[in-house]
Amino acid sequence: MLQRTLRKYIQVKTVLIVTDDLGFAYWLGQTLDQARYEAWPARSVAAAELLLAELQLAVDLLVVAASMPGASTLMTYLGAFKNDFKVIAVCDEEAHALEQLAMVSVVRRKPRTVDSSVKREWVRLITGLLADAR
């Protein structure tokens, strides 16, 4: 409740991370938390939908594993509530078919190693995407 109240006064951007890679979700969530973003992880599209319904989140950015079943359905669902949200499709190797969807802003490879330069790169990418959002 306090977060929702504070959200009215502080422009906190919300990032929904949907991936079954718990290490990546944890790393990215912690990185975004340190950069003053509100990050919410979900292990599946079904879990993300429950999270959205339960918490009534207004998502500014969706970071989704490109191979996640139901990812395009989730993007369509989110687009019905907020048409200016951004999407980063994360893939392991090759770009996935999700990059063909109009809603995907960026297709990015999941980092193989995590160091401070990788963290800075992801924060710069996300900050740039969210600066474009109204």
Side-chain angles (χ1 to χ4, degrees), residues 20-36:
D20 57 358
D21 183 338
L22 295 180
F24 175 70
Y26 178 79
W27 166 81
L28 186 57
Q30 291 295 310
T31 300
L32 293 174
D33 184 58
Q34 291 169 0
R36 306 279 192 251

Side-chain angles (χ1 to χ4, degrees), residues 18-62:
V18 184
T19 179
D20 57 358
D21 183 338
L22 295 180
F24 175 70
Y26 178 79
W27 166 81
L28 186 57
Q30 291 295 310
T31 300
L32 293 174
D33 184 58
Q34 291 169 0
R36 306 279 192 251
Y37 292 102
E38 188 177 286
W40 294 91
R43 292 186 73 181
S44 67
V45 169
E49 289 170 345
L50 286 172
L51 186 66
L52 291 168
E54 193 71 29
L55 299 177
Q56 299 295 306
L57 296 174
V59 175
D60 299 297
L61 173 68
L62 171 65

Side-chain angles (χ1 to χ4, degrees), residues 11 15 32 38 43 50-51 72 77 86 88 90 97 107 111 113 121-122 133:
Q11 283 289 38
V15 180
L32 293 174
E38 188 177 286
R43 292 186 73 181
L50 286 172
L51 186 66
S72 60
Y77 174 79
K86 304 295 182 180
I88 298 176
V90 180
V107 176
T113 60
E121 178 186 332
W122 274 84

